[in-house]
Amino acid sequence: MMSAARELLDSVRAELAPRDAENRLTPLIADGAAPRSVFAAIAAEELHIVPSDWRSLHTLAARCDTAAARSYFSGLASGEEAALAKLAPLAAAAGLDDDAANAYEPRAGCQAYPAYFAWLALNARPAEVAVALTANFGAWGTYCAAIARGMREHYGFDDDACGFFDFFATPLPDDQAVAVVQAGFDAGTLDRDAARRYARLFQSYELMFWNTLAEPA
């Protein structure tokens, strides 16, 4: 019998799976139609986002009541740390040096995602955040895979420059997330409606990131 956690995760992922035309930037990159300058903008925005998400994940880990949940969020934080190291080759290949990165002004539509994540880290139940994260990872990974292909096929970026997107394009096993969510069900503390709401808003802010970058600065 499918666990309540698996059923919830699968249904939320299906509801929020990427749909054509929602993300305006990724198809442009996949087809080689986006300006090359967009990669510098992505790198500059992510230099703000990744450290923030790292802190949010550690905050969630600190709020967890079980070792398994703490391990889940701490493991994701380690992934953000690894991703941060992969931003340097992307920034260099895109022509974003330290001076340009420091002078770059982040765009509100891009930074809404990490701002909401920080809110969740402080206010939402960790098991409900695990639902939102798992649903979002599916969409984010799909976008990253398409971008990595487009970078190689149309823009001539090498493997090092594509490493940030390759890293996130690889699907994560969701066994730990299932365990965290099921523990929330078992404890009677997981609110399905809240988990779906968090996932929906997370995906909306994800799309806002890409669609903000699709518009002229």
Side-chain angles (χ1 to χ4, degrees):
M1 181 180 295
M2 182 180 293
S3 69
R6 176 69 68 185
E7 183 178 19
L8 178 61
L9 289 172
D10 287 350
S11 65
V12 173
R13 270 189 295 226
E15 290 171 16
L16 299 177
R19 293 172 176 81
D20 292 345
E22 287 185 333
N23 181 329
R24 297 195 297 274
L25 180 62
T26 299
L28 295 177
I29 295 175
D31 293 339
R36 191 179 181 88
S37 60
V38 77
F39 298 105
I42 292 173
E45 295 287 354
E46 289 291 350
L47 284 169
H48 291 274
I49 292 171
V50 174
S52 177
D53 289 355
W54 178 86
R55 295 184 185 94
S56 294
L57 288 162
H58 277 296
T59 298
L60 283 161
R63 292 180 57 218
C64 290
D65 295 330
T66 67
R70 286 192 294 272
S71 176
Y72 169 69
F73 288 110
S74 296
L76 293 179
S78 296
E80 293 293 326
E81 191 170 0
L84 185 61
K86 296 179 183 295
L87 274 177
L90 171 63
L96 184 77
D97 59 20
D98 288 344
D99 289 339
N102 290 332
Y104 181 87
E105 287 296 328
R107 301 175 69 174
C110 294
Q111 296 302 315
Y113 176 100
Y116 183 62
F117 193 4
W119 184 93
L120 289 177
L122 292 173
N123 295 283
R125 295 181 181 91
E128 293 161 359
V129 180
V131 175
L133 283 173
T134 303
N136 180 247
F137 286 159
W140 166 246
T142 298
Y143 299 146
C144 286
I147 289 171
R149 287 194 300 270
M151 289 175 70
R152 290 181 170 94
E153 293 175 4
H154 302 293
Y155 298 91
F157 285 104
D158 63 17
D159 289 344
D160 285 342
C162 296
F164 177 81
F165 297 104
D166 288 338
F167 178 78
F168 286 112
T170 303
L172 283 174
D174 63 4
D175 292 348
Q176 279 189 297
V178 170
V180 171
V181 174
Q182 189 61 49
F185 274 122
D186 294 343
T189 58
L190 191 147
D191 183 328
R192 288 175 179 266
D193 292 336
R196 289 179 185 276
R197 183 184 311 120
Y198 298 151
R200 175 181 58 80
L201 287 170
F202 231 168
Q203 183 60 5
S204 295
Y205 290 127
E206 167 84 22
L207 290 168
M208 190 182 294
F209 171 86
W210 298 112
N211 292 336
T212 295
L213 291 174
E215 301 294 333

